[in-house]
Amino acid sequence: MTVALFTLGGTIAMAGTGAGGVVSRLTGADLTAAVPGLADLPLDVRDVEAVPSAALAYRQILDLVDAAGAAVADGAAGVVVTQGTDTLEETAFLADLVWPHPEPLVFTGAMRNPTLAGPDGPANLLAAARVAAAPAARDLGVLVAFNDEIHAARFVRKTHSTSTATFASPNAGPLGHVIEGAVRLLIRPPRHVPLPPVDRDRLAATRVALHTVTLDDDLALLDSLAPGLDGLVVAGFGVGHVPPNFAPALGGLAARMPVVLASRTGAGSVLRDTYGAVGSETDLRRRGLVCGGLLDPYKAKVLLRMLLAGGADRPAVAAAFARHG
C-alpha cells in the first residue's frame, strides 16, 4: 500500500543558511529519514523543483495533479504533497477543483524549519502520509493535514503568520484528526464534480484581479484594475458591502465581465438580500455581481480564473459559485 510523496520545497524542506536566512535544501529522502514511524508506510518519493510557495503557478499545480493522478493509476493508495504554507490554501483548493480520484490527495508543510527547536514538519508529514493511506479518507477530495488535524481544501484557511496551528476551517471545522497514529474522520461533506480540463496556455492568459475594499477607498484604484481583465473578485466589507460610490462602477464592470462579491472578513457568507442600501449585497446583485457565498476572496479568485479559462459564460459562472460557495 504505497503512498506517493511529491516534494515542492518550502519551510518543511529548509535547512542550512544562505546569505539572508534558511534556504530549501532537503530532498524527499532527507525529509522522510527524519520522521520516526514513517518507515511503516511505503513511500514513492518524487522530488519536484524546490521553490518557495510564493513562486508557484497554476500550471505547476495542475501538472502536479496530473502526476499525482498517474501515481494513483499505477497503484498508489494516496498522494502527499509538501510545499510552503504561504499559498497552500490556494494550491490545495485549485487541486481540489480538478482532482477526480477517490484516493486522497493530501497537502502539508511546516511553520518551523528543521533548524529550529521543535520543527513541526516531521509530525505533519507523518500525519499526511497516514491520511493518504487511510481507507476512511477516500472520496473526500483534496485534504490538508496539519497539526494532527484534517481539513477539506475547500474550507481551510491560513489564519496566523507563525503559529503551528495556523490552518483552520472557520466555516466548517476540521473533518477529523490523527489520534495515536489513527485517522479519525468525524464528518464527510459531499464532493463537488471536478471541473473539466482547461487549456493551460489559455489559463496563463486569463486575467482575474482581486480588490479588497477598505475604509474611504479610492475608486481610481478600482478603475486602474479594469483594463484588460477577464474577471474581478471584490472582497467587500462584512456580508458583502462596498462604499456607495463603488456600486455604479462595479455594475458597469459586471456588464463587461464576471464580477464576484466575497467577504474580506475571513469567515461567514456573503448575504444575498438582507440589506438594501446603495452598495449593499442586494444592490450589487441587482447590478449583476455574482454572490461568492462562503468562498473567501482567494478561493473565489482561483475558481473564477479556472471557470473563465474553461470558457464558462456568465450563467455558468453564477451556477458554479452557487455550488461551490
Side-chain angles (χ1 to χ4, degrees):
M1 186 174 59
T2 299
V3 170
L5 170 63
F6 291 83
T7 67
L8 285 174
T11 296
I12 192 172
M14 288 182 174
T17 55
V22 290
V23 293
S24 293
R25 289 185 177 169
L26 299 180
T27 65
D30 295 328
L31 289 176
T32 57
V35 183
L38 196 56
D40 297 335
L41 292 169
L43 293 178
D44 176 13
V45 181
R46 310 183 189 192
D47 290 318
V48 186
E49 181 183 4
V51 295
S53 66
L56 291 171
Y58 281 50
R59 183 188 293 269
Q60 289 167 284
I61 299 304
L62 294 177
D63 288 346
L64 184 146
V65 169
D66 289 344
V72 164
D74 288 339
V79 180
V80 172
V81 176
T82 60
Q83 69 158 81
T85 61
D86 284 348
T87 61
L88 192 149
E89 63 187 284
E90 293 161 90
T91 58
F93 180 64
L94 172 59
D96 189 51
L97 289 175
V98 297
W99 182 248
H101 307 284
E103 289 82 1
L105 175 56
V106 187
F107 282 68
T108 195
M111 296 300 292
R112 292 183 184 146
N113 71 74
T115 70
L116 300 176
D120 56 326
N124 289 338
L125 178 53
L126 180 59
R130 284 173 167 160
V131 173
R138 291 172 63 88
D139 294 308
L140 288 172
V142 176
L143 303 169
V144 172
F146 222 92
N147 202 37
D148 281 339
E149 293 184 338
I150 305 164
H151 295 270
R154 69 183 197 254
F155 299 138
V156 76
R157 298 289 309 275
K158 186 175 183 180
T159 64
H160 195 283
S161 62
T162 60
S163 171
T164 56
T166 182
F167 285 99
S169 297
N171 289 319
L175 302 187
H177 305 266
V178 179
I179 303 171
E180 294 183 323
V183 174
R184 292 285 304 277
L185 272 300
L186 305 178
I187 55 175
R188 300 187 65 87
R191 290 186 67 179
H192 295 303
V193 175
L195 298 181
V198 300
D199 180 90
R200 300 196 182 163
D201 291 333
R202 182 172 179 177
L203 177 62
T206 301
R207 300 184 64 212
V208 174
L210 166 61
H211 180 80
T212 301
V213 177
T214 58
L215 179 67
D216 197 19
D217 210 347
D218 184 353
L219 185 59
L221 297 175
L222 184 63
D223 292 336
S224 68
L225 286 174
L229 284 184
D230 300 296
L232 174 67
V233 175
V234 177
F237 301 120
V239 297
H241 296 167
V242 301
N245 64 323
F246 269 57
L250 288 173
L253 290 174
R256 294 166 38 202
M257 62 185 169
V259 179
V260 176
L261 180 64
S263 172
R264 72 177 198 170
T265 60
S269 177
V270 168
L271 296 183
R272 300 180 65 85
D273 53 13
T274 296
Y275 298 93
V278 175
S280 69
E281 79 286 352
T282 303
D283 176 53
L284 295 174
R285 286 184 58 239
R286 201 161 43 230
R287 296 175 189 270
L289 274 69
V290 175
C291 178
L294 285 163
L295 283 180
D296 63 71
Y298 312 116
K299 292 185 176 65
K301 184 173 183 285
V302 171
L303 176 58
L304 181 58
R305 187 174 173 191
M306 288 290 288
L307 291 170
L308 295 177
D313 58 14
R314 289 172 184 271
V317 167
F321 273 90
R323 289 193 303 273
H324 290 271

